[in-house]
Amino acid sequence: MDLHSKIPAGPLEQKWDRHRNEMKIVSPNNKRKYKIIVVGTGLAGASAAATFGQLGYEVSNFCFQDSPRRAHSIAAQGGINASKNYQNDADSVFRLFYDTVKGGDFRAREANVYRLAELSMAIIDQCVALGVPFAREYSGYLANRSFGGVQVSRTFYARGQTGQQLLLGAYSTLMRQVALGQVKLFARHEMLDLVVVNGHAKGIIVRDLITGEISSHAGDAVVLATGGYGNAFYLSTNAKGCNVTAIWRAHRQGALFANPCFTQIHPTCIPVAGEHQSKLTLMSESLRNDGRIWVPKKAGDTRRPQDVPVSERDYYLERKYPSFGNLVPRDVASRNAKEVCDEGRGVGPGGRGVYLDLADAIQRLGEPVIRQRYGNLCEMYEQITGENPYQQPMRIYPAIHYVMGGLWVDYNLMSNLEGLYVAGEANFSDHGANRLGASALMQGLADGYFILPNTIGDYLARVSPKDRPATDHPAFQAAEHNAMGRLRKLLAVNGTRTVDSFHRELGLMLWEQCGMARNAAGLQSLLKRIPALREEFWQNVKVLGHEKDFNQALEHAGRVADYLEFAELMVYDALMRDESCGGHFREEHQTPDGEALRDDERFAYVAAWEFNGVGKDPILHKESLEFDAVHLAQRSYK
């Protein structure tokens, strides 16, 4: 299989405009003849569905939540990047592009990243027009703050609620199209399978989560905007409902899965409090603007933080990375937090935490200013831990947060399956091996508002709506039958172990052997343990209830069954990528300073995996990464 990225020719800064000028388009009168299916209502899904509706297409939009407003985009707290240079601090489109490529440790496509940087400014204008209440300076200009991995202030924000406010903006545009009849919304429906007819994505199979009814929906193109797979680790900052099922089902139908081992660890999460927890809570990276991170210099120091004098504190990020300090990228900050804890200098129960201290900022700026910037975050922290972050430092520790891997897509965001488009965190395209903070919201809205509405027309102009199959087509009937059979098989096992117990066990082994640090021995052991756990799952899981009913246990079981297949691919990819890069840190490959050591001779490529059957080795396809505008170099934030 040949991978055609379809990157336009010409200078980097002209590629997107040239491509738009050369693409085929659908006339306004013909748009209403086409039907587009969009799965997901987060920033990427809602903005895409709303824009398609505005353009005149017939749109069906699906989400498993009871409202699009509950999509996980709501949890992105800190901000959204754009290179408007309001601060007059030398920011530019090229600098945003370069920071993103470097932050991803040179494992992303230049053309995609440059387009993202170009579109960033239009995203802010769009969101302001929708009424998103960004913070403003006294002058009236939108305010900016810094995030990790950069030396400029380019992050636009709405206190610590940026994702929520951006999602409400996209939601309002979506619901307007719903009211106009251009978009039909299917809430509480979960995608169970993709329907492919003659190599083209032509529909999906969904289950009504209230009634249990399974139904088929046909379209001329399918867009998956279903988020990431971080919950494979069980404990993560993701909402409990986030899952891999939609993109994994597409992968089983032939869509290539790219770079599944590229998972991101976020450095500022509230530490695990006990085995009872079902998820973790993120403290926004924006806190690193004003919070200083430290641990005691001496191992085993259990004094209260206010009893540790400054001379006995190690502000280790400021010491090791003087140019960036506390604002190093997430992967670097996370590994350093693990390192000091492994040295016995961690704080809190179990020594798995470091301090994020706002005291200096409060003394310099006053508590009211800090409350204005981070009030809701501090309230959340106090409610969860019972500790007042204005009076003592927050305790934080790294946790699974975001995934850079996802379905492979070309420059048009179309997978190798014709007519299947993938947006936002569900695709692999823009972040490389590590995502910079405040770039997820940027990518989701760029994909939905500006990229897909242009590129999907190029495909639709080459297919006829008359070729759209009816839902009684044999391919739909077979897919429905398979989906129903899978649910009945889960219910029929009637074993002794809960779904949650399998999920916890899988998550723990992934965190320990394929989390912040990985090595060949640990990964090889996982490739034996995961199939054994999967086999036990299908022999001993207990799923109560019925298929034709509201059954959250059955929902969870289907998602965990997919995680047990996907996890093997993620580990296999991590083992095959015998280098360190970004969030993929192989212990065998590090510099003398403990930084990630890439192998550009052998691994400067996108690993796109083809499904070859459960328990069988996947087939690797490589897309070489070419760097013309930036030079490959060892990352340094010192």
Side-chain angles (χ1 to χ4, degrees):
M1 182 186 301
D2 293 326
L3 295 182
H4 300 290
S5 61
K6 299 180 182 175
I7 297 173
L12 190 63
E13 63 275 9
Q14 297 177 15
K15 288 182 184 293
W16 177 233
D17 284 341
R18 173 178 291 188
H19 191 53
R20 287 192 299 163
N21 291 334
E22 294 174 349
M23 285 189 295
K24 295 181 180 294
I25 60 175
V26 180
S27 69
N29 287 338
N30 284 334
K31 283 188 173 76
R32 60 175 173 263
K33 300 176 183 178
Y34 288 95
K35 181 176 180 180
I36 302 174
I37 293 172
V38 180
V39 187
T41 59
L43 286 181
S47 59
T51 309
F52 293 150
Q54 180 72 39
L55 288 171
Y57 294 109
E58 181 186 351
V59 183
S60 293
N61 194 193
F62 296 82
C63 69
F64 61 72
Q65 299 92 345
D66 59 351
S67 166
R69 291 174 296 173
R70 296 189 186 276
H72 189 58
S73 299
I74 200 172
Q77 302 159 330
I80 177 171
N81 289 329
S83 55
K84 279 188 172 289
N85 195 31
Y86 284 162
Q87 304 299 310
N88 196 28
D89 57 1
D91 199 10
S92 65
V93 168
F94 186 86
R95 194 176 293 276
L96 173 53
F97 154 73
Y98 179 78
D99 287 344
T100 305
V101 172
K102 178 184 175 182
D105 215 354
F106 304 92
R107 290 294 178 261
R109 282 192 200 130
E110 282 191 338
N112 286 67
V113 178
Y114 193 88
R115 176 177 61 185
L116 180 64
E118 275 186 294
L119 292 173
S120 66
M121 294 179 283
I123 295 169
I124 301 302
D125 295 339
Q126 168 84 353
C127 293
V128 169
L130 293 174
V132 174
F134 287 119
R136 292 182 181 268
E137 305 286 2
Y138 181 75
S139 63
Y141 276 111
L142 300 182
N144 291 126
R145 56 189 176 201
S146 293
F147 257 61
V150 305
Q151 292 179 304
V152 297
S153 295
R154 65 162 67 102
T155 303
F156 295 76
Y157 63 96
R159 295 187 72 194
Q161 307 169 357
T162 313
Q164 179 180 14
Q165 298 304 324
L166 291 171
L167 184 61
L168 289 173
Y171 169 76
S172 68
T173 66
L174 172 62
M175 296 312 292
R176 179 174 182 271
Q177 296 303 315
V178 171
L180 291 171
Q182 288 296 122
V183 177
K184 187 173 183 181
L185 181 63
F186 294 84
R188 300 308 297 265
H189 283 71
E190 182 165 35
M191 174 180 159
L192 297 183
D193 213 344
L194 177 74
V195 180
V196 180
V197 179
N198 298 325
H200 291 247
K202 290 297 183 182
I204 60 173
I205 308 299
V206 299
R207 179 174 183 268
D208 185 322
L209 298 182
I210 301 297
T211 67
E213 180 184 0
I214 288 179
S215 58
S216 295
H217 299 263
D220 298 293
V222 177
V223 176
L224 299 185
T226 52
Y229 47 83
N231 274 347
F233 290 83
Y234 188 78
L235 284 181
S236 81
T237 67
N238 290 265
K240 284 294 290 180
C242 295
N243 62 83
V244 76
T245 289
I247 57 176
W248 186 250
R249 298 282 107 196
H251 176 59
R252 288 178 60 113
Q253 292 294 342
L256 300 180
F257 211 117
N259 299 337
C261 76
F262 285 173
T263 53
Q264 179 171 79
I265 315 293
H266 198 294
T268 55
C269 179
I270 298 177
V272 177
E275 294 184 0
H276 63 281
Q277 280 186 256
S278 61
K279 75 174 300 295
L280 298 173
T281 303
L282 178 70
M283 289 288 100
S284 169
E285 182 177 321
S286 61
L287 289 163
R288 291 201 276 155
N289 275 279
D290 290 303
R292 300 180 68 192
I293 296 172
W294 64 275
V295 292
K297 289 183 177 179
K298 183 180 178 181
D301 191 336
T302 59
R303 288 177 291 176
R304 297 183 307 167
Q306 53 267 44
D307 295 335
V308 180
V310 173
S311 61
E312 297 179 32
R313 300 177 180 182
D314 182 11
Y315 294 91
Y316 57 90
L317 292 179
E318 298 173 31
R319 170 174 57 82
K320 295 178 66 174
Y321 308 97
S323 294
F324 285 75
N326 296 299
L327 288 174
V328 292
R330 291 174 174 178
D331 61 315
V332 177
S334 296
R335 282 196 294 274
N336 277 271
K338 180 180 185 297
E339 180 181 311
V340 296
C341 290
D342 289 347
E343 292 171 356
R345 297 193 287 145
V347 301
R352 287 292 164 186
V354 300
Y355 288 130
L356 191 153
D357 197 343
L358 294 167
D360 286 358
I362 291 173
Q363 184 176 5
R364 183 176 71 255
L365 302 170
E367 187 173 315
V369 172
I370 300 302
R371 285 185 179 275
Q372 184 180 29
R373 292 178 179 176
Y374 311 111
N376 62 306
L377 298 173
C378 293
E379 290 166 12
M380 187 192 314
Y381 180 86
E382 186 170 8
Q383 288 173 359
I384 292 171
T385 66
E387 301 170 2
N388 186 333
Y390 300 109
Q391 297 176 1
Q392 64 186 88
M394 292 182 177
R395 290 177 296 106
I396 59 170
Y397 192 70
I400 291 290
H401 174 58
Y402 186 90
V403 297
M404 288 73 66
L407 293 186
W408 181 89
V409 291
D410 61 20
Y411 188 72
N412 294 324
L413 303 187
M414 187 163 72
S415 77
N416 59 295
L417 292 178
E418 291 283 313
L420 176 64
Y421 290 80
V422 193
E425 191 178 0
N427 74 35
F428 87 100
S429 65
D430 290 359
H431 305 296
N434 174 65
R435 177 175 67 77
L436 292 185
S439 289
L441 303 182
M442 178 173 59
Q443 185 207 350
L445 291 179
D447 288 356
Y449 278 137
F450 299 107
I451 300 174
L452 281 173
N454 282 281
T455 60
I456 204 166
D458 185 58
Y459 169 74
L460 294 176
R462 291 182 281 110
V463 299
S464 170
K466 296 178 181 179
D467 296 333
R468 183 196 316 152
T471 55
D472 61 358
H473 187 282
F476 281 92
Q477 293 180 334
E480 273 198 39
H481 177 77
N482 291 339
M484 181 65 76
R486 183 177 172 84
L487 296 178
R488 289 174 177 169
K489 184 179 178 181
L490 285 167
L491 289 164
V493 175
N494 197 30
T496 61
R497 284 189 63 178
T498 65
V499 175
D500 211 52
S501 71
F502 283 101
H503 196 179
R504 281 181 182 270
E505 184 174 345
L506 174 67
L508 183 60
M509 60 171 77
L510 288 177
W511 176 249
E512 289 179 342
Q513 305 290 354
C514 195
M516 271 193 284
R518 302 149 183 203
N519 58 58
L523 295 170
Q524 287 166 350
S525 72
L526 284 179
L527 290 177
K528 297 178 181 177
R529 296 169 64 194
I530 292 172
L533 184 64
R534 185 172 62 239
E535 183 177 353
E536 183 186 354
F537 174 88
W538 283 106
Q539 293 178 353
N540 197 30
V541 71
K542 188 173 187 67
V543 184
L544 299 174
H546 307 281
E547 63 190 71
K548 294 288 187 180
D549 201 356
F550 175 71
N551 190 340
Q552 290 184 304
L554 184 57
E555 293 172 39
H556 190 196
R559 295 165 188 173
V560 172
D562 288 329
Y563 279 136
L564 286 164
E565 294 179 8
F566 162 75
E568 190 172 5
L569 175 64
M570 179 169 66
V571 172
Y572 195 89
D573 184 43
L575 181 62
M576 294 301 104
R577 187 170 285 276
D578 194 19
E579 66 164 352
S580 291
C581 56
H584 170 62
F585 190 74
R586 287 285 296 269
E587 293 174 340
E588 306 96 325
H589 305 289
Q590 52 185 302
T591 68
D593 295 332
E595 305 293 347
L597 182 62
R598 298 193 319 270
D599 184 345
D600 296 328
E601 289 291 323
R602 295 194 297 153
F603 294 103
Y605 62 74
V606 176
W609 297 96
E610 179 183 350
F611 184 71
N612 193 33
V614 177
K616 297 181 180 179
D617 290 349
I619 301 168
L620 175 62
H621 304 275
K622 299 178 181 179
E623 178 198 338
S624 296
L625 293 171
E626 306 295 334
F627 295 93
D628 299 317
V630 298
H631 299 291
L632 288 168
Q634 174 66 37
R635 274 196 316 172
S636 175
Y637 292 95
K638 297 186 176 182

